[in-house]
Amino acid sequence: MENTIKETPSTEQAEKKTLKEKWNEFRYKVDMWSRKKPLRRKLYLNRVLYLMMFPYLLLFFTFTVLPVIMSFALSFTDFNMLEFPRWVGWENYLNLFLEDPIFITAVKNTLIIAVVVGPGGYILSFVFAWLINELPRYLRAIVTFVFYAPALTGAISIWALIFSSDYYGWANSILIKLQIIREPITWLKDAKYILPIVIAVQLWMSLGVNFLTLIAGLKGVNKELYEAGAIDGIRNRWQELWYITLPSIKDQLLFSAVIQISNTLGVGAVTTALCGFPSVQYAGHTIVNHLSDYTSVRYELGYASAIATLLFLVSIGLNSLIRKVIRKVGS
Amino acid sequence: MTKSKAEMLNEETTQKNVELSKKEKLNLKKARHIDSRPFAEISGMKIKSRSKKKKRINRSKGGDFALFLFLAICGILSILPLIMIVNNAFKPMDEIFKFPPNIFVKNPTLNNFADLGVVLGTSLVPFSRYLFNTVYVTILGTFGHVIVASMCAYVLSKYKVPGGGVIFGLIVYSLMFPSSVTATPNYIILNFLGLIDTHWSIILPVVGGTMGLFLMRQFMNGISMDYIESAKLDGASEFRIYWQIVMPLVKPAWITLVILNFQSLWNTGGSTTIYREDYKMLSYAINQIASAGVARTGTLNAVQLIMIIVPIAVFIFSQSNVMETMQHSGMK
């Protein structure tokens, strides 16, 4: 009995040892191999880190980098999604600037919207997050919910009710009651009013991702810093904001700035939902509207890719500009 | 150098002189005034101080009131669509088609929900199948993205890995590429991998999404390296540090991410990559109900309410669950 019991573990141990030895040998070999070149050594020593990055990077490259590269390449072709893309060189870009007046309108509208909504929405998100952060916990959760509600419901329909073109539209009925106007204004069908309305709605909708991020960031600010600041001679709330709060959430500020850029240059869904597609006299036509016109209506993907590439370059330029600005915060 | 300094000093003194002389002039003026009216000095001061106080209080009260009013108006405008969705679901037919619509329902009924039950009972694919598909994709996509992206973000944020900077730059820049254009190349790739007509065609691109990684990295930047080094001294592995130390510290970040991802996945229809009817999503099924036309408006309202309840519940639950983080309490 005793013998058998003793024997079985010993054999198992022997097997395990051999496996372990083999494994050790293998590791030793890899180790020695990695020592031959400095880069190889670096990679070997950081192998756990690379393993942790691997799943994400694999998916990121297949589903983001590769498509972006492909559409870069497509921007130099004529591609109608049915036939194989035909190489045309710079023709798409030349056509964009020289033979497409609607594109120029779209650029103009997008820039007007971006100038107002970009900084406006950004500041609005921050101010709301900042005000809400001072509230007690449960009230804060409720108020956060109230202000995030437009992003949750995604309902732009309320604005269609407000700016309805007949007597019953809320804006019209109020203005008529106040005797400011006599006849209802066709808000969403008048080139004069479309752009301001789109800007207002876009500002209203700007409390989204940025807003949540900034709230989460403000929650993480070290409370002791404020006490220390009070001792160091910070006198009012504005100084507190500039020297303590803003530098503490610099990372979040940068994040929301990048999101804000891509959001403002990506305005388009609101125009379509409110004013139809295309809007009257292209008054609310943005670059993204132009883009979706060529991807999902005309199926000229090469041309659309050229538009996307230009938009991409503009946002990269803005991005580097904003990085410089944010670096100066709190100094 | 010395000369210039001396000059500057001179300039300063002259400026002071000028200021003094100005002050003196003012004093002289005041003195004349006081001389002309006895006790005016005291009463004037009182009046001044009172008016100042009043003004300040008034202004701050007014400012507070204006701020409150502004917040209230914005809040009402923000919550109004939600209130309308809730009320619409309980409106009988005659109230639904009233124009302009009432915000609040007058004679609430449950007819819309009963109609919805009838519609769902007659559908070819059982409704529970759509529901399961959506729940499956949403949960797998959301948590997959949070875990995979934050694992990568941890490395990118806390270590200087060769190639890390380039990767991060790529991620930030790709965030700016309009997604409507990459849709076609994406389809080509999914087709090449044989993922068309499976749930993975929706889940995998979401898991490899860029925004979550950027968000997590920015929040992890704020964590002191001391935590990680002391954990390493205690013998924790890299993965354990990430999972047990860093992730709890950035809880507000990944809760935000869960809310954002849940919301967008819950509303995906998946109609561009999935053609099998029993693999389709809830929101696709709902669009089918809506496409039946005006007669289904009531049903559609009921469905809208049901669809919106789940993201709202997730939002409220997770937001009230975020306590103050312990980020700064452990290190001293």
Side-chain angles (χ1 to χ4, degrees), chain B residues 142-179:
Chain B
T142 305
F143 289 98
H145 180 55
V146 168
I147 291 167
V148 168
S150 60
M151 203 152 69
C152 183
Y154 164 68
V155 178
L156 284 178
S157 162
K158 287 292 139 209
Y159 294 97
K160 279 199 169 172
V161 189
V166 176
I167 291 168
F168 184 63
L170 271 179
I171 289 164
V172 173
Y173 286 139
S174 64
L175 206 59
M176 308 213 162
F177 207 85
S179 58

Side-chain angles (χ1 to χ4, degrees), chain B residues 69-327:
Chain B
L69 203 71
F70 176 66
L71 281 179
I73 289 172
C74 291
I76 288 169
L77 267 179
S78 301
I79 201 78
L80 208 55
L82 183 64
I83 292 172
M84 285 185 78
I85 287 173
V86 173
N87 278 292
N88 279 342
F90 297 101
K91 276 181 185 172
M93 270 296 172
D94 57 328
E95 279 187 56
I96 289 171
F97 291 110
K98 202 179 160 196
F99 197 88
N102 293 329
I103 296 170
F104 294 105
V105 56
K106 276 179 189 157
N107 308 307
T109 61
L110 286 174
N111 280 345
N112 296 333
F113 292 92
D115 288 347
L116 177 64
V118 174
V119 171
L120 296 180
T122 56
S123 80
L124 197 66
V125 174
F127 187 68
S128 55
R129 180 74 208 180
Y130 293 120
L131 186 68
F132 168 78
N133 289 339
T134 293
V135 170
Y136 176 76
V137 166
T138 305
I139 286 178
L140 227 62
T142 305
F143 289 98
H145 180 55
V146 168
I147 291 167
V148 168
S150 60
M151 203 152 69
C152 183
Y154 164 68
V155 178
L156 284 178
S157 162
K158 287 292 139 209
Y159 294 97
K160 279 199 169 172
V161 189
V166 176
I167 291 168
F168 184 63
L170 271 179
I171 289 164
V172 173
Y173 286 139
S174 64
L175 206 59
M176 308 213 162
F177 207 85
S179 58
S180 53
V181 174
T182 52
T184 313
N186 231 329
Y187 183 89
I188 296 169
I189 289 166
L190 284 171
N191 192 28
F192 179 75
L193 295 172
L195 292 174
I196 295 295
D197 247 1
T198 62
H199 286 141
W200 297 109
S201 66
I202 297 172
I203 295 169
L204 287 182
V206 168
V207 171
T210 42
M211 202 175 69
L213 185 125
F214 189 25
L215 183 91
M216 293 308 288
R217 192 197 99 111
Q218 292 306 95
F219 273 81
M220 283 174 183
N221 276 351
I223 293 173
S224 156
M225 201 65 197
D226 298 348
Y227 280 110
I228 292 160
E229 271 158 16
S230 55
K232 254 187 200 162
L233 285 179
D234 291 344
S237 69
E238 212 59 74
F239 185 78
R240 200 164 159 205
I241 294 172
Y242 150 72
W243 189 245
Q244 291 194 335
I245 292 170
V246 173
M247 282 305 266
L249 287 176
V250 291
K251 194 176 172 190
W254 56 259
I255 280 195
T256 308
L257 199 54
V258 165
I259 291 170
L260 295 174
N261 260 318
F262 190 95
Q263 193 191 324
S264 67
L265 273 173
W266 185 259
N267 292 320
T268 46
S271 53
T272 49
T273 52
I274 291 178
Y275 304 108
R276 273 181 64 169
E277 192 58 36
D278 55 340
Y279 275 9
K280 278 181 174 162
M281 308 282 146
L282 205 56
S283 101
Y284 178 81
I286 278 156
N287 283 335
Q288 279 184 323
I289 294 174
S291 66
V294 188
R296 289 265 176 84
T297 312
T299 322
L300 189 68
N301 288 344
V303 165
Q304 268 183 340
L305 178 64
I306 290 171
M307 277 299 280
I308 224 168
I309 277 176
V310 179
I312 285 175
V314 169
F315 180 85
I316 290 175
F317 176 73
S318 50
Q319 273 290 313
S320 57
N321 216 7
V322 184
M323 307 272 282
E324 304 296 328
T325 44
M326 312 289 280
Q327 200 168 329

